[in-house]
Amino acid sequence: CGADDPLENRTGAQAESFRSSTASASFNYEISRRVSTSVRYSNWRSASPARDHDVSTDSASARISYSLTQTVGVFAGYHVDSGVYDPNLATGDPVRYYSQGADFGIDFAKALSLTRKTTATFGVGMTGVSDGQVTQYAATGHANINHEIARTWHAGAAYTRNVSFSQAFTEPVFSDWLNANLYGLISRRLRFHARMGMSFGAVGLSYTRTGNDNYRGLYASTGLDYAISRHLNSGARYWYTRQRSD
């Protein structure tokens, strides 16, 4: 999940301080003019005094891309993720989940015959999540479209179907989410950005796509960034999140 994914936002109904940290590393290498690879690792931790929503996640992924033409490419990737919730309220022991999966898809760059300023990408895949006893498989996928407005503004929309580990729940979340965004330069130093979206899905390994989703979320955010210098930036952001789980 990304920073604006509602599943990564805080548990709004619970008033409690917490500490979170994120670390990541990535490496990209161009093997030839047509072939490129990338690997990425990230870790996210969140802890609170009560410990009832503490979570730690690790994610590692690798991808290889091949350019068919200047505007069309294909890719394939593989990822391994883990989520640890601490503690289990019944036993006091950490609860561990593991997921792994593969995806593949196509990148379009000005090749959709829509306009010269429109780019898109989509992909599909499969992910399995296990707690060591039960394994649940789910189809995953994503589609993104971005349109350039003038020279300094962009508008886009995205759909993602994935599995994530969230602070708000003590089990994996199987979700679909939609979002739209708009960003651009008001002046040479001032940048505006806004995003809104919705998500729905199911919490836990008992997940099924039968229409009985037990999670729904809405979110919106907007903000301004100001470039103080070439290497220093400041900004302000406001966001709204609403979640409901049965």
Side-chain angles (χ1 to χ4, degrees), residues 97-101 126-140 161 163 172-174 202-209:
Y97 294 94
Y98 302 92
S99 72
Q100 56 182 325
M126 180 69 68
T127 294
V129 183
S130 173
D131 62 359
Q133 297 179 340
V134 178
T135 301
Q136 175 68 58
Y137 294 95
T140 59
R161 185 178 191 179
V163 183
V173 181
F174 297 77
V203 180
L205 295 184
S206 58
Y207 150 89
T208 57
R209 267 290 177 252

Side-chain angles (χ1 to χ4, degrees), residues 43-87:
N43 172 271
W44 174 62
R45 297 175 182 269
S46 180
S48 63
R51 298 185 62 194
D52 56 350
H53 282 89
D54 288 7
V55 60
S56 174
T57 68
D58 291 279
S59 177
S61 62
R63 172 174 288 195
I64 185 168
S65 303
Y66 181 80
S67 298
L68 299 174
T69 68
Q70 290 185 349
T71 57
V72 180
V74 295
F75 64 85
Y78 184 79
H79 66 87
V80 179
D81 309 283
S82 68
V84 181
Y85 294 95
D86 185 27

